[in-house]
Amino acid sequence: MRMPRGIMLVPLMLALQAMPVAAQRQPAAARAVVLRGRIEEQFVRRVQLELGLNDETAGRMQRVTTSWATRRRALEAEERQLRMSLNGQLRPGVAANPDSVNAAVDGLTANRVAYAQSFRDEMRDLAPILTPVQRGQFQLLRDRLLLRMQEIQQGQRPDSP
């Protein structure tokens, strides 16, 4: 059964709004972990429904995607560190160390390539589990989720319009 596209994100929005009051009192990092887990659970259920996967196939798919998501989070943390290093070198009024700037720029570039490659490798790992059509559907579902999450994050920034 195909659900209309707009309804697909309703469980995600409910998960975002349904954070218990106790979770809201936790430090931001702990809340992020709890929220990420809820979003991932909702997303896996939605993917299983949309792609028509049985529990065994959904479990195999989830193990692959969780593994790659963990790797990407490590790359994201590394990128934050590299950006902090670069920002530290490029402060106004402070002479930058060219070697440090070069290392940070090279690191950021390599990190971006590795991040993009991770999506290709993930799709390769999903090929024995999902049909080509299911992989395409999964990619579109994930793209919509990521876009929606970016929109939510931008809406929460004080400097956003």
Side-chain angles (χ1 to χ4, degrees), residues 91-151:
R91 289 178 299 174
V94 177
N97 179 317
D99 291 337
S100 296
V101 170
N102 194 42
V105 169
D106 288 349
L108 281 168
T109 302
N111 185 283
R112 288 177 183 172
V113 170
Y115 193 82
Q117 182 69 39
S118 75
F119 287 99
R120 183 185 343 197
D121 293 344
E122 180 183 39
M123 283 296 138
R124 179 204 61 221
D125 291 351
L126 288 172
I129 300 168
L130 303 175
T131 68
V133 170
Q134 288 171 325
R135 284 188 302 142
Q137 291 171 318
F138 171 73
Q139 189 144 18
L140 289 177
L141 288 169
R142 180 173 49 198
D143 289 349
R144 286 186 206 130
L145 173 66
L146 293 175
L147 179 62
R148 184 64 186 132
M149 289 174 65
Q150 287 173 351
E151 290 170 352

Side-chain angles (χ1 to χ4, degrees), residues 53-80:
L53 304 177
N54 61 36
D55 290 341
E56 188 270 331
T57 303
R60 289 175 57 207
M61 184 204 75
Q62 184 176 10
R63 284 188 291 279
V64 168
T65 58
T66 298
S67 172
W68 282 105
T70 301
R71 293 175 196 176
R72 280 192 285 273
R73 279 195 287 275
L75 288 169
E76 291 163 359
E78 181 182 341
E79 180 175 346
R80 282 190 297 275

Side-chain angles (χ1 to χ4, degrees), residues 29-94:
R31 282 195 314 265
V33 169
V34 169
L35 184 56
R36 181 183 296 124
R38 287 185 179 171
I39 291 169
E40 287 173 358
E41 288 172 16
Q42 288 287 332
F43 183 68
V44 167
R45 283 196 289 272
R46 174 57 56 204
V47 168
Q48 184 174 0
L49 177 67
E50 290 282 325
L51 275 56
L53 304 177
N54 61 36
D55 290 341
E56 188 270 331
T57 303
R60 289 175 57 207
M61 184 204 75
Q62 184 176 10
R63 284 188 291 279
V64 168
T65 58
T66 298
S67 172
W68 282 105
T70 301
R71 293 175 196 176
R72 280 192 285 273
R73 279 195 287 275
L75 288 169
E76 291 163 359
E78 181 182 341
E79 180 175 346
R80 282 190 297 275
Q81 287 298 111
L82 289 165
R83 285 187 177 285
M84 285 175 31
S85 174
L86 186 59
N87 283 329
Q89 286 294 318
L90 299 178
R91 289 178 299 174
V94 177

